[in-house]
Amino acid sequence: MWGEATYRATRALRAEQQRADDSVQRLRDFVAAIQASPNGVILLDPEGRIEWCNDIAARHFGIDPQRDRMQHIGNLVREPAFTAYYASKDYDRDVKVIGRDDKPGHPVKLSVHLHPYGGGHKLMLSNDVTALAQADAMRRDFVANVSHEIRTPLTVLAGFVETMQSLPLDAQERERYLGLMAAQSERMQTLVNDLLTLSRLEGSPPPAGDPVDLGPLMAQCEAEARGLSDLLHPAEGKPQKLRFGEPPAFQLAGAAGELRSAVSNLINNAVRYTPGGGGIDVQWERLPDGRARLAVTDTGPGIAPEHLSRLGERFYRVDRSRSRESGGTGLGLAITKHVAQRHGGELQVSSQLGKGSTFALVFPAQRVRTLTLVAAAPGDRLNAA
Ligand code: ADP
């Protein structure tokens, strides 16, 4: 009888132990699942003390999960916006706070949301919204920039219209005013065209890989650049020296129109920013690793190092007045950078203040189609290999 009783008791104990082990395992799985969450999670007791937090929450708020257990959350998240939110007991919305890792040049913005549960406890979720906040700020800046860029010529244009309506002008004055008005409307047109180009580039998939002949493309860019250079620095003054290398012995797979506008933006910028008497050198080359590189080098004013990383941002200009004087929209390099990236390439800039700049487009080897001379054909011709 005793044997039987001992056996039953041992079996019951083992079953109990098994149940306890299962519970511990379930708790571990549960904690592991919360640890795997991309959000910060903190459990607060009814007094607002930290019962538990995951590693992400610890990082967001600089909490030590062991040492800070049972610390009041208000001692660790001291921002007034959070204190007011916590006290308001209105937890339908979230609150934005600055993260513990926030530093100048490395902003960290968090969205924090409290969710009450079981008898006064609270679940506190935090979420890194830095990228979202930055995208939002960029969108606001962009709208402000576009409005500003359009408002300036529009104000001038409206002023001229008013003058022409209210003052009796002789034929010569009328002609002069109309010329100035035409220049302003052209400026707005260029801006709108650049904006449309940018939005087309951003909203469409990367271009298919039809091979593009670079010879005619470069000839077109060269003619355009020489025309612009003659206009800005006529031969009787101090003309610029433009040098174009041999057309490359390869084709590039991509969108011809996009490539043309990327290349012409770089060459025209060199012409616009380099003073009379300066030189501009345009050269394609094949890099040892098979990539193709177009370098546009000028002896212009150069760009200080602190600006280099920001070139290619929409409306970022080093020299505002110079850009406007020469009809710039501040979008040329943004378009060029986009085109390069859509073709799997990149825009590289190196420059020395007072010495000049080199803007280069580098395209991946997969987009390069080598041209070979087919000697056997009647009359030599070029073939893409
Ligand atoms: P913009 O229409 O103002 O020329 P871009 O996007 O083409 O706009 O260029 C951005 C800025 O980069 C210019 O405003 C100018 O300050 C600078 N920049 C571009 N190319 C050159 C260059 N070749 N030499 C010196 N500065 C340049």
Side-chain angles (χ1 to χ4, degrees):
M1 193 180 80
W2 281 112
E4 175 68 12
T6 311
Y7 170 72
R8 278 171 187 269
T10 312
R11 223 174 64 164
L13 262 176
R14 257 200 221 122
E16 191 55 39
Q17 184 64 45
Q18 185 61 46
R19 268 198 296 278
D21 287 351
D22 285 352
S23 297
V24 168
Q25 189 53 43
R26 263 208 302 279
L27 188 64
R28 278 203 191 112
D29 288 348
F30 188 66
V31 168
I34 300 183
Q35 284 292 15
S37 149
N39 295 334
V41 181
I42 302 179
L43 304 183
L44 299 175
D45 75 2
E47 273 70 53
R49 291 174 302 207
I50 298 172
E51 288 183 321
W52 185 85
C53 77
N54 71 353
D55 292 343
I56 292 191
R59 218 167 40 240
H60 281 168
F61 302 105
I63 297 173
D64 181 326
Q66 307 306 323
R67 197 192 57 215
D68 294 328
R69 246 194 100 224
M70 301 319 279
Q71 274 275 355
H72 197 282
I73 188 69
N75 293 336
L76 293 159
V77 186
R78 291 173 169 272
E79 249 183 273
F82 177 76
T83 313
Y85 172 69
Y86 187 89
S88 75
K89 298 202 164 50
D90 171 14
Y91 303 139
D92 286 344
R93 57 179 185 96
D94 65 341
V95 64
K96 302 283 184 306
V97 302
I98 290 167
R100 180 57 68 106
D101 284 344
D102 184 87
K103 284 183 216 69
H106 179 263
V108 180
K109 201 141 202 199
L110 302 173
S111 149
V112 176
H113 206 152
L114 286 168
H115 301 272
Y117 70 99
H121 285 75
K122 288 178 200 69
L123 174 72
M124 178 165 152
L125 296 180
S126 57
N127 191 1
D128 191 328
V129 291
T130 313
L132 263 177
Q134 278 172 340
D136 208 37
M138 260 172 72
R139 188 186 53 74
R140 274 198 307 270
D141 279 359
F142 181 66
V143 172
N145 274 323
V146 171
S147 314
H148 177 78
E149 296 290 335
I150 290 185
R151 195 180 53 189
T152 314
L154 204 56
T155 311
V156 179
L157 202 57
F160 285 135
V161 169
E162 210 180 296
T163 310
M164 290 189 77
Q165 280 171 333
S166 55
L167 289 181
L169 300 171
D170 62 34
Q172 204 185 355
E173 278 173 324
R174 267 177 65 88
E175 208 48 47
R176 195 171 76 82
Y177 274 48
L178 284 172
L180 292 167
M181 288 163 78
Q184 295 303 322
S185 62
E186 196 180 321
R187 185 171 152 192
M188 280 195 287
Q189 221 158 20
T190 314
L191 176 69
V192 172
N193 284 342
D194 276 1
L195 283 169
L196 286 174
T197 305
L198 249 188
S199 87
R200 238 193 336 263
L201 292 179
E202 285 174 347
S204 65
D210 291 337
V212 176
D213 276 334
L214 295 171
L217 185 148
M218 292 310 292
Q220 212 176 344
C221 292
E222 180 173 346
E224 191 183 293
R226 289 197 187 277
L228 183 65
S229 178
D230 286 346
L231 195 73
L232 298 174
H233 306 284
E236 52 275 19
K238 283 173 86 186
Q240 290 174 329
K241 287 179 267 311
L242 269 61
R243 211 183 70 81
F244 284 78
E246 286 295 306
F250 50 81
Q251 295 175 312
L252 258 189
E258 290 185 24
L259 292 172
R260 194 183 320 108
S261 83
V263 172
S264 85
N265 278 343
L266 293 189
I267 303 176
N268 291 351
N269 273 358
V271 171
R272 285 166 49 224
Y273 291 105
T274 303
I280 290 137
D281 197 275
V282 181
Q283 190 77 50
W284 276 99
E285 66 171 322
R286 192 80 191 268
L287 299 177
D289 60 8
R291 290 182 300 162
R293 180 174 188 266
L294 166 78
V296 180
T297 303
D298 65 55
T299 60
I303 299 162
E306 65 267 27
H307 296 292
L308 291 181
S309 64
R310 297 203 57 191
L311 292 178
E313 282 178 26
R314 302 137 155 196
F315 297 115
Y316 189 82
R317 293 161 163 127
V318 180
D319 183 341
R320 268 181 185 277
S321 55
R322 188 71 165 274
S323 159
R324 294 238 168 77
E325 267 167 37
S326 58
T329 59
L331 295 173
L333 287 182
I335 292 174
T336 303
K337 193 171 162 182
H338 244 85
V339 170
Q341 286 170 349
R342 280 163 59 79
H343 286 77
E346 58 174 335
L347 170 67
Q348 298 173 343
V349 190
S350 58
S351 186
Q352 239 183 320
L353 209 52
K355 293 243 165 80
S357 319
T358 297
F359 284 78
L361 286 168
V362 182
F363 295 97
Q366 304 90 284
R367 290 216 173 243
V368 182
R369 307 276 182 273
T370 315
L371 296 171
T372 49
L373 208 59
V374 182
D380 286 355
R381 63 189 173 90
L382 291 173
N383 259 2

